[in-house]
Amino acid sequence: MKTYIVGNWKMNLTVGESSIYLQKLLKRIKPAKGLEIAVAPSAIAIQPLRIQLDRLKSKVKLSAQNFYQKDYGAYTGEVSIMQLRGLVDYAIIGHSERRYIFGETNKDLCQKVAAALRNNVTPILCIGETENERSFGETVSVIRDQLHGALSEIDADDVKKVIIAYEPVWAISSNKNARLASPDDVAESVRLIRSELKEIYGKETAEETPILYGGSVNPNNAGAYLTVPGVNGLLIGGSSLISDHFIDIIELAKRVKS
Ligand code: 13P
């Protein structure tokens, strides 16, 4: 299975800054077999970065951070994945900031996963419990609900095309009182996710679905997370905004996974 290093820039960097960042990234990294590198810029930067990547025939991929689940219509202010088709290879779906700030529900997310798949874009479905849920011992049920909720209308063949990102909300660096997840915490949740996938879709699908980890990943701890059994890559927020850090993590991933 490939290793995925994905940078989620969230609502940061102007179009110009995004382009300069990408230029630096492309200069410094060499493609490596089995390593997939993607960045998720703001929606307005996607097209210029697509042109930049195409001009250089780069293998670096683009991801959307979000989209609306309908393909077109009277939805003022929204962007559909059909409109993003051809510009991005991936789309982050159900990030905790979308769930808790913008009120996205499992039903919305289920429609988004289906919309991405019908438009040939790989969904990166984010799941993960909050600090409160964890302290009440609800981690297992939350992960189960989020997984079942977002995948309820997707069959086993299509689930293999979905990437799952486990992002415990309490470990995301922008949250007040964020704390690091231990590799053991991550291992436990990744085991749970695979066993849920196995229960719904069978062993083969459970083994073939990539699972990424996200939450305060930086160049110092990336190696530990990448070596957790069952982790196929990283979804990185804050550290991906510093190109030197993102490049360090990419280099590390090459060494760890080779
Ligand atoms: P941090 O790496 O800043 O904790 O963000 C993680 C994240 O939310 C990536 O989607």
Side-chain angles (χ1 to χ4, degrees):
M1 197 182 303
K2 282 185 195 167
T3 299
Y4 299 82
I5 302 293
V6 183
N8 175 10
W9 294 350
K10 307 192 180 183
M11 200 176 71
N12 295 293
L13 307 184
T14 63
V15 173
E17 287 164 347
S18 304
S19 169
I20 292 167
Y21 179 118
L22 190 65
Q23 200 178 1
K24 183 165 175 190
L25 184 69
L26 299 180
K27 242 191 224 150
R28 300 254 314 264
I29 56 164
K30 302 259 171 312
K33 211 167 147 254
L35 185 65
E36 183 86 338
I37 298 160
V39 292
S42 285
I44 44 162
I46 288 175
Q47 190 177 30
L49 296 198
R50 173 80 276 143
I51 294 168
Q52 199 174 342
L53 288 168
D54 287 350
R55 211 173 33 222
L56 297 168
K57 298 192 171 46
S58 170
K59 292 204 162 45
V60 170
K61 301 293 196 304
L62 290 178
S63 172
Q65 295 179 11
N66 178 44
F67 61 87
Y68 190 59
Q69 54 263 42
K70 303 283 184 191
D71 281 345
Y72 54 88
Y75 304 100
T76 301
E78 294 296 327
V79 176
S80 78
I81 198 69
M82 195 190 78
Q83 293 171 308
L84 289 165
R85 188 186 172 133
L87 299 177
V88 297
D89 289 283
Y90 298 97
I92 297 172
I93 294 177
H95 192 281
S96 54
E97 287 145 21
R98 302 292 323 166
R99 291 179 192 261
Y100 302 115
I101 303 174
F102 300 101
E104 291 189 4
T105 62
N106 279 333
K107 188 166 164 251
D108 297 323
L109 304 179
C110 186
Q111 293 173 355
K112 289 189 183 206
V113 172
L117 290 170
R118 80 171 168 266
N119 283 290
N120 278 330
V121 172
T122 302
I124 303 176
L125 173 67
C126 297
I127 59 173
E129 78 285 3
T130 62
E131 179 67 66
N132 262 352
E133 290 162 344
R134 189 172 185 86
S135 62
F136 285 114
E138 292 168 357
T139 302
V140 173
S141 63
V142 169
I143 288 181
R144 201 170 272 164
D145 278 0
Q146 290 181 343
L147 211 51
H148 285 248
L151 298 177
S152 58
E153 284 165 33
I154 313 296
D155 64 25
D157 273 347
D158 276 345
V159 167
K160 284 186 206 162
K161 299 177 199 152
V162 177
I163 296 175
I164 309 285
Y166 172 60
E167 294 208 321
V169 183
W170 48 270
I172 294 181
S173 67
S174 52
N175 290 336
K176 238 183 20 204
N177 309 323
R179 59 194 170 82
L180 283 184
S182 71
D184 284 348
D185 294 331
V186 177
E188 197 181 319
S189 295
V190 167
R191 256 197 317 271
L192 170 69
I193 294 166
R194 287 213 195 274
S195 90
E196 286 300 314
L197 289 173
K198 185 174 165 195
E199 205 169 284
I200 329 174
Y201 298 106
K203 190 162 176 262
E204 191 194 324
T205 302
E207 280 169 6
E208 285 180 18
T209 304
I211 302 180
L212 316 187
Y213 173 69
S216 297
V217 175
N218 62 42
N220 296 325
N221 61 27
Y225 292 129
L226 280 169
T227 45
V228 169
V231 167
N232 307 110
L234 303 168
L235 179 55
I236 307 159
S239 272
S240 77
L241 287 171
I242 305 162
S243 56
D244 284 344
H245 289 188
F246 192 57
I247 292 163
D248 283 350
I249 296 172
I250 292 167
E251 291 305 323
L252 196 90
K254 277 186 200 168
R255 290 199 298 277
V256 169
K257 293 288 188 179
S258 67

